[in-house]
Amino acid sequence: MPDVSEQRLSDAFEPAGSGKGFEWTAQVVNIGGNHSGDLLKKCKALYDYCSYVNRVKGNLKAGMPKNDAVGEAVDYAIKENYLDGFFKVQKSEVMNMSLTEFDQEEYDRNRRREGWEEGMEEMQSRTARNMLAVGLGSPEQIAQVTGLPLEDVTRLSEELAVAAR
């Protein structure tokens, strides 16, 4: 990753960049490795954190088992008083957080499930809106058919009435 890059919120969604209207962008600063030295000089806490992460990565690259790599880096951070003693006070929490791995497969499963749920909600709302527009049932019946709460169907009915005026 370059030292500084720009990322758009819409890039995180399918299809990328197809959003309309407001576009949120963020300037991303790479603080890993030998990047952003000026920023790290200005912020001791960030410097300490990056030094710790780089120490863990270096230990892993040298062939140390993960537990040993993290343990050595935490002990070094304590010795160097990184984050003004935070590593010493929160040693077990830092160890636990550092050893917890990001599970890409679980993340992907959750994203698919969330997307499916959002799609179902959209389909329910669209179906209810269409049924209301053509007068196919009472709000209670439409709520039962679509699985939407009655309050949502009533709100959609009111929105349609306002739009028809």
Side-chain angles (χ1 to χ4, degrees), residues 93-106:
E93 180 67 19
V94 170
M95 290 286 296
N96 183 41
M97 294 298 292
S98 297
L99 292 170
T100 301
E101 291 187 38
F102 175 72
D103 185 340
Q104 184 68 47
E105 289 178 13
E106 180 68 21

Side-chain angles (χ1 to χ4, degrees), residues 28-136:
V28 179
V29 178
N30 184 355
I31 58 172
N34 296 323
H35 300 277
S36 303
D38 290 339
L39 179 61
L40 297 179
K41 288 176 188 171
K42 294 176 184 175
C43 181
K44 182 181 180 323
L46 190 58
Y47 172 83
D48 288 352
Y49 173 75
C50 288
S51 297
Y52 164 74
V53 170
N54 289 334
R55 184 111 183 163
V56 172
K57 287 180 179 179
N59 289 343
L60 291 170
K61 194 176 244 182
M64 290 176 80
K66 189 171 185 179
N67 283 352
D68 295 343
V70 170
E72 189 283 333
V74 168
D75 289 342
Y76 183 82
I78 290 170
K79 184 177 124 228
E80 296 297 316
N81 197 35
Y82 282 177
L83 299 177
D84 297 324
F86 176 82
F87 283 88
K88 183 176 184 177
V89 174
Q90 299 292 330
K91 181 176 182 175
S92 62
E93 180 67 19
V94 170
M95 290 286 296
N96 183 41
M97 294 298 292
S98 297
L99 292 170
T100 301
E101 291 187 38
F102 175 72
D103 185 340
Q104 184 68 47
E105 289 178 13
E106 180 68 21
Y107 174 77
D108 290 342
R109 266 192 304 278
N110 286 336
R111 292 270 321 254
R112 282 191 298 276
R113 188 188 77 248
E114 290 167 1
W116 182 84
E117 289 169 357
E118 288 173 14
M120 284 301 294
E121 290 171 10
E122 177 62 31
M123 175 97 89
Q124 289 170 310
S125 291
R126 190 175 312 142
T127 301
R129 200 175 277 113
N130 290 341
M131 290 177 76
L132 287 164
V134 296
L136 245 140

